[in-house]
Every structure is written in C-alpha cells, then in structure tokens.
C-alpha cells in the first residue's frame, strides 16, 4: 500500500549563508525522502526560509535595505546552495508569506478562543537610543557569577552560567552601546501548561527518540510555563490581530511555516491540504530537526496544533551537531565552512557520502574529520565501488561492442547481493545510513574479490575464453549496478551517471534486482575523481580568508 508522507527540515534563518553544519540535516532528510520515493511512496518534502525577527530587521537596517530585500537575497543564495548539494525540495518558500500570516492568525485565534492565551505586563531591557526592547542576545556585560567581561545577556560562555539580563553587570546594548533601562510592556502568553497531560502521553518513543523523551521528562519535572509569543514594535514579523504594535514572536510562526509552504505547494499542484493536516489525517508527518530546537518542536508545536484542532507530527527525527576535526566549527581555525566555499573546490556528493557514512538514528554529534573524509571517499567510492565497473567495462566495450552476455557467470552470488536489498531498505527507513554504507561497502569488497579470483584480464589472453570473459564482466557490471541502486538516495547524480552508462534508468527500488542481460551498455567514463588533499586545504584557507574579509569590511 502506498504511503502518503509529508517531510520537513527546520527552516534556515534568512540572515546568513548555509554552512556545513546546516547541511547535515538537509542531506539526512533528502536521503530519506529519495528512498521513500524509490519505494513508490507519495512523499513530499517542503521547507522555507525563516524570515522574521530582530536579527533580520537589524541586518537589513545595517545594510541600508528593506527586510524584504534581505530575505529575498538570502532565499536565492540558500536555494542555490541546496540545489548544488542535490537537496531536492518539492517546495521552498518563506515564512513572510500570505499563507503563513493566515495560518499564524488562525492558530492564534483558535488558541485565544479556547482560553489558552493570557496577557500580562512584563519588564524588559530597553535601548533608549534605538527606542526598542532588546532580546537577551543583544545585551552584553560582565557575568554576575565569574566576572568574565563581554558576555551575552542570557548565559556566560566562560563559566556556563545562565541568568537574566537584569543580573548582568555593566550591561550595554550591542546595537547602540547605550546602557539599557528597564521598561514595562504588556505581552501575550501561550499557556503551555494547559497541554501537559497530552504532551506527557505524546512524548513517547513512537513520536520521539529515547534521548529526546528523557530530556522532555526533565522539562516536565521542572514544570511547564506560559510561553511569551509576542514582541513589541519595531519588529519584522506579523502583527497580532487586534493588538497594534504587537507582533508574533518569530518562533510562533516559524514552525507554522511548514504548513504555509505545503499549502502554497498544494494550491499550485492541486493537492488536498487537509488530507495531510486535518486532525483525522491518515498521512504521515515527519520533522527533521537539530537537538537545539527540540523544546520548540516537542512541546510548543504539538501543543499549538492540538489547541488549534490540527494533527500532530507522526514523529520528530532529531540529530546532533556537526564538529570538524573533533571540535566545534571555528571561524578562527577556518573550519566554519560555508556551502559556497566547499562547492568551489570539492564534489558535493563526497560530502553527502561522508555524512551518510556517519549518520545513525540517534542524536549523537557527527564529526567531519577532513583527513578521514578524503581517505574514506577515495577508498570507498573510487577504490571499491567505481573500480568494479571500470575493471569490467573496457572488456565489454572493446571485445563485445558493449554487449552484455545472455547469462550470469555466478547467479548464486548475484542472488546473495539482491537478497540484501530488503535489509538495506529497512536500514534506510530507520535512518541508519552508516549501516547502509557498511553493508554496501562489504558487498563491494565481495564484488572486487570475485573479479580478482576470476581474472578476466588473464582469460582475455587465452584462446576460446571470450564467452567466459563476457560472462564474468557482465557479472561484475550487474553487481556494480545493484550497489549503485542501493546508494542512489545518497549519491543521486552518480547513480544517474551510472544509469546512463548502463543504458537503463532505474524505475524503482527493486528494478536493479532483475539483471541486465543481452543488453548494450554505453562507453564507460569516470564517475568520480579522487579527492586531492590540496583541495581540502584550499577550502580551509578560503574559509579563513572569508573571515578576514568579513572582519575588515565590518
């Protein structure tokens, strides 16, 4: 039975470039979506730029352009980067849209009508020069615990302490340098605690990973509190209905952007939006997110949906952070690498493969070790996988005019390879990509071992062995075809190039289980080149140069 699946990735913020840390999530999601489509499922993948909030407003002001111009520029850059890394969205949209305004208003008004919104006065830091309230990250001062200077208004990066901006010593506004003053303002709050019973029931391993469920238990024990969903003007976002100069906080309308992007897609394609979002929907809904935004997606989001009479996610898929050479990405070390910088020197599918080789279904961090990256790609993709085809294709092309034999030389070995298809499919479904890669590379070793044992290059020198050479090389090419099919969600372009060589596009997951026999293939051309370590160094050098240019222009 065909499954109906809607998949989202978290929305990148519209005030900076896509970097390798972002790409972990989008590559992980894209692999899963491509696999579902190969299975014949009706699977849609939508995303958008997260376009609202104070940082977008201030960056646009700093550049002398409107917020709309800023988000339009970053939307184009983001989509170009994603396309270059073969991340294939059905719709990529923006949270600054008519659809998002509609759903944000709808959900808010339903929550308000049901008594889940309260209003109360709060006191906040205010910049008297800029005439605006300051988010915590726009206040700096001395840590009240360890006395470290130049710390943000919510936590200290030296001692790790968390505190309120009012506790900060010698605070200043990051925007103007003025000393903030305290000012009162009425704010709107979503009563998250009204949904505690539902959330406790929902937060089980059928909807979230065990590590995430354990974190939620801690939050439940601390007690759920009302969530401030409003911000005061000036602010770039949607104005709250019947509340002049009050705006929805960016984190209220950001996840609603999933709905808005899909609605935009449905209207364009003539799909039934309600079949995916109505409370009684039988479609599956999955959100791929980083562990830093679990609070919003595992508590506020399902509570908002429940309160508004809409369906909740089938499951959240949470991943860890990216480290490079065992450490956090660092601008000073040149390891804060943007997608654009990587693409100028290295093949995007190499990164897709390496991330897949490291990704599992848990929330552990993933390390991009640049030396291991080059060695692994060269050993696996060049030395093992493509090597199978390149060892056999020349004989088929030169001696048999590209024609494969009518029978396989080792049908039992071929059946062993096809029998792994179901297990590999299950590993994809469970997001155990590292195990997929291990399984496929173990098969690649077997295929190469088969060719080593059969030695078609020696047989080709002996009279009367042509049929045997043709059958052995046909066998090798068919094993290669199977392995490329198994890796197609990870390496879509390379798989497409392999299909062009094989002269047979793959229609679905099982297509390669039927061998190509008495069939003409095209001349073989290299499918991938080795990673040159010098190119990796160029990426690091250019990342440091970009940092230096940014510092001098700032």
């Amino acid at each position: 039975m065909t499954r109906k699946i809607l998949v989202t990735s978290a929305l990148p913020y519209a005030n900076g470039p896509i970097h390798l840390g972002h790409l972990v999530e989008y590559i992980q999601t894209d692999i899963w979506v491509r696999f579902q489509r190969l299975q014949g499922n009706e699977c849609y993948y939508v995303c958008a730029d997260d376009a609202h909030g104070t940082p977008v407003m201030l960056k646009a002001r700093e550049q002398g352009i409107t917020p709309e111009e800023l988000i339009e520029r970053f939307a184009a850059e983001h989509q170009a980067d994603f396309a270059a890394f073969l991340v294939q969205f059905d719709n990529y949209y923006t949270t600054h849209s008519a659809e998002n305004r509609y759903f944000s208003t709808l959900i808010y008004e339903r929550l308000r009508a049901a008594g889940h919104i309260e209003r109360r006065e709060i006191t906040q830091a205010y910049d008297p020069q800029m005439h605006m309230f300051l988010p915590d990250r726009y206040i700096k001062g001395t840590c009240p615990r360890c006395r470290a200077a130049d710390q943000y208004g919510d936590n200290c990066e030296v001692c790790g302490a968390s505190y309120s901006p009012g506790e900060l010593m010698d605070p200043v506004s990051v925007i103007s340098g003025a000393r903030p003053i305290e000012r009162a303002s009425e704010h709107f709050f979503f009563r998250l605690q009204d949904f505690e019973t539902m959330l406790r029931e929902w937060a089980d391993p059928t909807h979230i990973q065990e590590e995430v469920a354990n974190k939620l238990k801690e939050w439940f024990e601390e007690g759920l509190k009302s969530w401030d969903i409003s911000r005061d003007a000036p602010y770039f976002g949607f104005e709250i209905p019947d509340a002049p100069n009050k705006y929805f906080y960016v984190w209220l309308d950001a996840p609603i952007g999933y709905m808005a992007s899909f609605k935009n897609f449905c209207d364009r394609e003539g799909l039934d939006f309600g079949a995916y979002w109505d409370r009684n929907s039988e479609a599956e809904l999955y959100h791929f997110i980083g562990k830093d935004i679990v609070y919003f997606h595992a508590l506020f989001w399902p509570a908002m949906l429940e309160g508004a009479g809409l369906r909740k996610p089938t499951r959240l898929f949470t991943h860890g952070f990216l480290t490079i050479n065992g450490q956090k990405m660092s601008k000073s070390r040149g390891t804060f690498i943007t997608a654009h910088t990587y693409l100028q020197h290295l093949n995007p599918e190499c990164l897709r493969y390496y991330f897949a080789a490291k990704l599992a279904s848990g929330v552990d961090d993933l390390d991009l070790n640049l030396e291991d990256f080059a060695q692994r790609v060269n050993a696996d993709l060049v030395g093992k996988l493509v090597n199978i085809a390149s060892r056999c294709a020349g004989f088929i092309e030169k001696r048999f005019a590209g024609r494969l034999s009518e029978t396989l030389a080792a049908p039992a070995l071929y059946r062993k390879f096809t029998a792994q298809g179901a297990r590999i499919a299950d590993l994809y479904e469970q997001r155990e990509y590292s195990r997929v890669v291990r399984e496929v590379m173990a098969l690649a070793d077997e295929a190469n071992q088969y060719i080593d044992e059969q030695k078609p290059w020696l047989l080709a020198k002996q009279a009367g062995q042509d049929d045997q050479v043709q059958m052995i090389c046909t066998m090798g090419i068919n094993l290669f075809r199977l392995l490329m099919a198994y890796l197609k969600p990870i390496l879509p372009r390379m798989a497409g190039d392999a299909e062009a060589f094989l002269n047979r596009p793959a229609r679905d997951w099982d297509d390669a289980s039927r061998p190509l026999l008495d069939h003409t293939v095209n001349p073989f051309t290299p499918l991938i080149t080795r990673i040159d370590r010098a190119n990796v160094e160029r990426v690091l050098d250019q990342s440091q140069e970009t940092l230096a240019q940014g510092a001098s222009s700032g």
Side-chain angles (χ1 to χ4, degrees), residues 334-454:
T335 56
F336 189 90
I337 303 168
T338 66
H340 180 71
T341 298
Y342 176 99
L343 289 165
Q344 289 179 277
H345 305 284
L346 294 165
N347 180 341
E349 284 195 298
C350 293
L351 190 71
R352 286 179 67 101
Y353 179 76
Y354 192 76
F355 280 175
K358 294 283 193 120
L359 277 164
S361 60
V363 297
D364 296 331
D365 291 347
L366 179 156
D367 186 52
L368 170 57
N369 180 294
L370 292 168
E371 190 168 326
D372 179 57
F373 164 66
Q375 288 176 351
R376 181 156 200 164
V377 168
N378 291 343
D380 286 4
L381 298 186
V382 182
K384 293 183 183 179
L385 183 64
V386 175
N387 192 45
I388 301 166
S390 62
R391 298 174 84 184
C392 299
F395 292 110
I396 294 293
E397 182 184 343
K398 291 169 189 166
R399 300 175 76 95
F400 309 105
R403 196 74 182 168
L404 300 178
S405 62
E406 295 181 10
T407 55
L408 290 174
L413 180 62
Y414 189 78
R415 285 194 297 272
K416 179 182 178 182
F417 274 51
T418 58
Q420 292 298 307
R423 172 172 165 71
I424 291 169
D426 185 59
L427 292 173
Y428 270 120
E429 180 69 43
Q430 304 303 324
R431 306 176 326 288
E432 294 286 356
Y433 305 158
S434 61
R435 292 170 67 188
V436 168
V437 167
R438 281 202 302 275
E439 297 276 339
V440 173
M441 284 304 134
L443 292 174
D445 283 336
E446 282 196 57
N448 277 301
Q449 186 180 346
Y450 167 79
I451 298 165
D452 287 341
E453 290 169 353
Q454 299 302 314

Side-chain angles (χ1 to χ4, degrees), residues 43-240:
C43 185
Y44 298 111
Y45 179 20
V46 300
C47 195
D49 266 5
D50 183 4
H52 290 154
T54 303
V56 163
M57 178 183 75
L58 293 175
K59 193 175 188 83
R61 185 185 295 174
E62 176 192 311
Q63 296 188 4
I65 58 177
T66 65
E68 287 84 355
E69 288 173 309
L70 182 80
I71 61 179
E72 194 173 314
R73 191 184 82 207
F74 276 114
E77 287 184 18
H78 290 175
Q79 289 178 74
D81 286 340
F82 287 136
F85 278 93
L86 310 173
V87 177
Q88 197 172 60
F89 302 107
D90 288 289
N91 199 43
Y92 194 89
Y93 205 39
T94 173
T95 57
H96 191 61
S97 68
E99 293 92 342
N100 205 32
R101 183 189 295 273
Y102 168 80
F103 284 117
S104 298
T105 301
L106 175 76
I107 288 172
Y108 168 77
E109 289 180 340
R110 287 184 179 180
L111 294 174
R112 184 179 64 182
H116 301 305
I117 302 294
E118 61 186 24
R119 301 164 72 149
R120 66 172 184 265
E121 195 171 84
I122 63 168
T123 302
Q124 294 171 280
Y126 184 83
D127 187 323
Q129 283 189 22
M130 301 302 291
H131 307 290
M132 64 180 286
F133 287 96
L134 292 168
D136 294 351
R137 301 296 282 179
Y138 284 87
I139 307 166
K140 278 193 169 182
T142 302
C143 171
R145 309 285 193 273
C146 74
R147 302 295 194 269
D150 201 35
Q151 298 304 306
Y152 287 111
D154 54 356
N155 74 286
C156 176
E157 293 183 341
V158 176
C159 72
S162 295
Y163 41 74
S164 68
E167 297 175 83
L168 204 62
M169 300 166 64
D170 305 317
V172 295
S173 164
V174 171
I175 306 167
S176 69
R179 185 181 180 89
I181 60 173
E182 296 286 304
R183 180 169 287 192
S185 171
E186 184 181 56
H187 273 232
F188 295 68
F189 291 81
F190 170 53
R191 291 180 51 82
L192 182 64
Q193 60 270 35
D194 293 352
F195 298 90
E196 181 171 348
T197 301
M198 179 277 291
L199 288 169
R200 281 181 178 271
E201 291 173 1
W202 184 80
D204 66 27
T206 62
H207 298 114
I208 51 180
Q209 292 123 299
E210 188 177 347
E211 304 99 311
V212 176
N214 291 336
K215 189 64 187 173
L216 260 61
K217 283 176 190 169
E218 292 178 27
W219 289 330
F220 289 134
E221 285 165 15
E222 289 171 10
L224 301 181
K225 300 176 181 66
S226 295
W227 175 41
D228 188 347
I229 60 166
S230 63
R231 293 295 183 268
D232 293 280
Y235 192 78
F236 183 60
F238 295 139
E239 205 165 30
I240 297 175

Side-chain angles (χ1 to χ4, degrees), residues 7-37:
V7 180
T8 74
S9 297
L11 313 185
Y13 201 52
N15 76 331
I18 299 300
H19 56 69
L20 300 197
H22 291 129
L23 285 168
V24 171
E25 181 169 309
Y26 302 97
I27 288 171
Q28 182 189 36
T29 314
D30 183 75
I31 290 169
W32 200 76
V33 169
R34 286 178 182 274
F35 165 72
Q36 296 298 341
R37 289 172 180 159

